[in-house]
C-alpha cells in the first residue's frame, strides 16, 4: 500500500475547497439583477435627457403683478390729476402763507421740519404695513449714510422755495421752478457723462426762452391780494428759486450716480431722507438767527394757522405722491401732469390773488409747457435730429 503525505494532501484539499468557495462567491455576485430594477446607466441617461428637454423648452416670462385699480380705474390715471393738483395747490398755498398778512408770521424752517417729520412718520406706517418692520432703513449703515447728501440738498431746496414764493408771483415761481429740467439735463451730461439726444437740448433751449419771457412779462406786475415787493426783492426771489431747482436736480442726479443698483424700497429711501432732513433742519434752525429767535421767544409752532398746516401736509403728501408716480405712472403722464399744474397755477393765481396775465407771460408759459413735452420725448422734435441717447462720451 503506497504511502501518501497526509498533511500535504489535507492542505491541498483545503486550498481547493477555498478556491471553490471563492469562485462560487464571485459567481453569486455576478448573478443577473432583477429585470424590474433600473440600471444606473439608464437612470443617468434619463436624467440627462430630461435636463436637455427642460433647457430646450422655452420658459414663459413671469407674470406681471396686476396694477391696483380704484373704482375700476387704473391707479395711474388717478395719479395724473392728483399730481397736477398737488403741484399747483402747494404753490398757491405757499404763496398765501408767505404773502398774506396774518399768515406769514411762522418760521419757514419750522414748517420744513414739520413736513419732513410727517413724511417720515407716514413712511414708517407704510413700511410697517408692507414689510412689518423698519429695519430695512438701517440694515446697511454706509448706504443709509449716503442719503444724507441729497437730504441736505432737499432741505436747502425747501427753505429757498419758501423764501422765493414770498416775493414772486405764482406764475413766475412755477415757471422758474421748471428750470430743474434744464439743470438735470446739464448735470446728466456733465456728471454722468451721457450724450443727450437732440430733443432734450431743444427742450432745454425752449425752456430757457419760456422762463425768460415769463420773467420779463411779469416784471412790474403784482397780485392784488399780496404785499408789494421791489424789483431787487423780485430778483433775489428769482435767484432763490433757480438755486432751489438746481439743488433738486443735483440731488436727483446724485441718486442715479451713487445709489444706483442698491436694492432699497422707495419708502425706505424716503424714510432715510426724512430722518436726515429733520436732523439737519434743527441744525439749520439753530444757526438761523431770525427763525431761532421766533422759536425761542414764541415756541416752535408759533404762527401756524390753518393755512400753514394745510401747506405743510400738502408738501408732505407731495413727497409721498412722487413715489407713487415713479412706481405706477409713465413719462408721458408725468409730463402731462406738469403741464396741467402750470395751467392750474396760472388760473389759481388770477382767481385767488388777482394776478393779471400779460400776453408775454401766457406765451412763455405755453412755451415752457411745450418744452417739457419735447424734453420728455412725448412729442416729436421739430428739428428731427437723430442722435442716439444715453451713449457714453468717448474719452
Amino acid at each position: 500500500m503506497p504511502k501518501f503525505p497526509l498533511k500535504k494532501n489535507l492542505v491541498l484539499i483545503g486550498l481547493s475547497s477555498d478556491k471553490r468557495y471563492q469562485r462560487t462567491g464571485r459567481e453569486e455576485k455576478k448573478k443577473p439583477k432583477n429585470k424590474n430594477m433600473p440600471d444606473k446607466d439608464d437612470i443617468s441617461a434619463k436624467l440627462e435627457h430630461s435636463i436637455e428637454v427642460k433647457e430646450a423648452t422655452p420658459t414663459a416670462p413671469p407674470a406681471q403683478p396686476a396694477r391696483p385699480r380704484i373704482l375700476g380705474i387704473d391707479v395711474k390715471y388717478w395719479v395724473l390729476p392728483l399730481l397736477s393738483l398737488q403741484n399747483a395747490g402747494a404753490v398757491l398755498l405757499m404763496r398765501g402763507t408767505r404773502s398774506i398778512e396774518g399768515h406769514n408770521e411762522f418760521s419757514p424752517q419750522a414748517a420744513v421740519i414739520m413736513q419732513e417729520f410727517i413724511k417720515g412718520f407716514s413712511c414708517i406706517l407704510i413700511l410697517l404695513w408692507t414689510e412689518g418692520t423698519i429695519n430695512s432703513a438701517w440694515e446697511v449703515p454706509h448706504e443709509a449714510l449716503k442719503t444724507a447728501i441729497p437730504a441736505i440738498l432737499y432741505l436747502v431746496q425747501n427753505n429757498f422755495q419758501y423764501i422765493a414764493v414770498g416775493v414772486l408771483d405764482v406764475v413766475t415761481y412755477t415757471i422758474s421752478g421748471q428750470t430743474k429740467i434744464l439743470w438735470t439735463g446739464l448735470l446728466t451730461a456733465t456728471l454722468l457723462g451721457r450724450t443727450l439726444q437732440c430733443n432734450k437740448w431743444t427742450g432745454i433751449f425752449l425752456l430757457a426762452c419760456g422762463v425768460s419771457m415769463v420773467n420779463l412779462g411779469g416784471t412790474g406786475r403784482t397780485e392784488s391780494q399780496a404785499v408789494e415787493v421791489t424789483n431787487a426783492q423780485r430778483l433775489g426771489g428769482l435767484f432763490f428759486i433757480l438755486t432751489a431747482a438746481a439743488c433738486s436736480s443735483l440731488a436727483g442726479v446724485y441718486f442715479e450716480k451713487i445709489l444706483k443698483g442698491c436694492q432699497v424700497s422707495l419708502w425706505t429711501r424716503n424714510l432715510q431722507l426724512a430722518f436726515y432732513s429733520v436732523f439737519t433742519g434743527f441744525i439749520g434752525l439753530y444757526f438761523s438767527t431770525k427763525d431761532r429767535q421766533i422759536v425761542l421767544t414764541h415756541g416752535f409752532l408759533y404762527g401756524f394757522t390753518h393755512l400753514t398746516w394745510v401747506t405743510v401736509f400738502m408738501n408732505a403728501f407731495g413727497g409721498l405722491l412722487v413715489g407713487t408716480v415713479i412706481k405706477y405712472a409713465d413719462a408721458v403722464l408725468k409730463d402731462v401732469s406738469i403741464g396741467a399744474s402750470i395751467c392750474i397755477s396760472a388760473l389759481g393765481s388770477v382767481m385767488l390773488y388777482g394776478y393779471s396775465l400779460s400776453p408775454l407771460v401766457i406765451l412763455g408759459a405755453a412755451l415752457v409747457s411745450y418744452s417739457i413735452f419735447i424734453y420728455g420725448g412725448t412729442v416729436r422734435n421739430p428739428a428731427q435730429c437723430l442722435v442716439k441717447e444715453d451713449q457714453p462720451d468717448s474719452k
Side-chain angles (χ1 to χ4, degrees), residues 187-244:
L187 291 172
T188 299
T190 304
L191 299 181
L192 300 183
R194 292 180 179 175
T195 301
L196 296 181
Q197 195 174 357
C198 190
N199 71 297
K200 295 189 180 297
W201 288 115
T202 305
I204 289 174
F205 174 75
L206 294 177
L207 176 68
C209 293
V211 171
S212 301
M213 293 170 65
V214 170
N215 281 278
L216 290 175
T219 302
R221 293 177 177 268
T222 58
E223 297 163 341
S224 59
Q225 300 299 324
V227 295
E228 295 185 1
V229 296
T230 62
N231 288 334
Q233 290 175 322
R234 181 183 176 85
L235 185 62
L238 184 61
F239 167 78
F240 280 114
I241 189 58
L242 294 178
T243 307

Side-chain angles (χ1 to χ4, degrees), residues 20 49-50 55 63 108 112 122 136 150 201 225 273 278 313 327 377:
R20 284 196 304 270
H49 177 69
S50 62
E55 291 178 351
V112 172
S122 301
S136 58
W201 288 115
Q225 300 299 324
L273 284 171
V278 171
F313 276 95
K327 187 173 183 180

Side-chain angles (χ1 to χ4, degrees), residues 123-261:
C123 291
I124 290 176
L125 295 179
I126 294 174
L127 285 174
L128 291 176
W129 180 45
T130 56
E131 301 179 9
T133 180
I134 61 173
N135 293 336
S136 58
W138 321 112
E139 283 180 347
V140 186
H142 67 277
E143 289 293 337
L145 188 61
K146 291 180 182 179
T147 317
I149 296 177
I152 295 174
L153 292 173
Y154 284 131
L155 184 70
V156 173
Q157 172 200 355
N158 291 328
N159 281 277
F160 281 9
Q161 284 177 340
Y162 269 105
I163 297 175
V165 79
V167 294
L168 296 177
D169 58 82
V170 172
V171 177
T172 303
Y173 174 90
T174 304
I175 298 298
S176 301
Q178 298 306 318
T179 54
K180 59 186 176 184
I181 298 176
L182 184 151
W183 293 116
T184 300
L186 297 178
L187 291 172
T188 299
T190 304
L191 299 181
L192 300 183
R194 292 180 179 175
T195 301
L196 296 181
Q197 195 174 357
C198 190
N199 71 297
K200 295 189 180 297
W201 288 115
T202 305
I204 289 174
F205 174 75
L206 294 177
L207 176 68
C209 293
V211 171
S212 301
M213 293 170 65
V214 170
N215 281 278
L216 290 175
T219 302
R221 293 177 177 268
T222 58
E223 297 163 341
S224 59
Q225 300 299 324
V227 295
E228 295 185 1
V229 296
T230 62
N231 288 334
Q233 290 175 322
R234 181 183 176 85
L235 185 62
L238 184 61
F239 167 78
F240 280 114
I241 189 58
L242 294 178
T243 307
C247 290
S248 176
S249 301
L250 182 58
V253 174
Y254 172 87
F255 266 123
E256 186 175 357
K257 182 177 178 63
I258 304 298
L259 304 179
K260 189 175 183 179

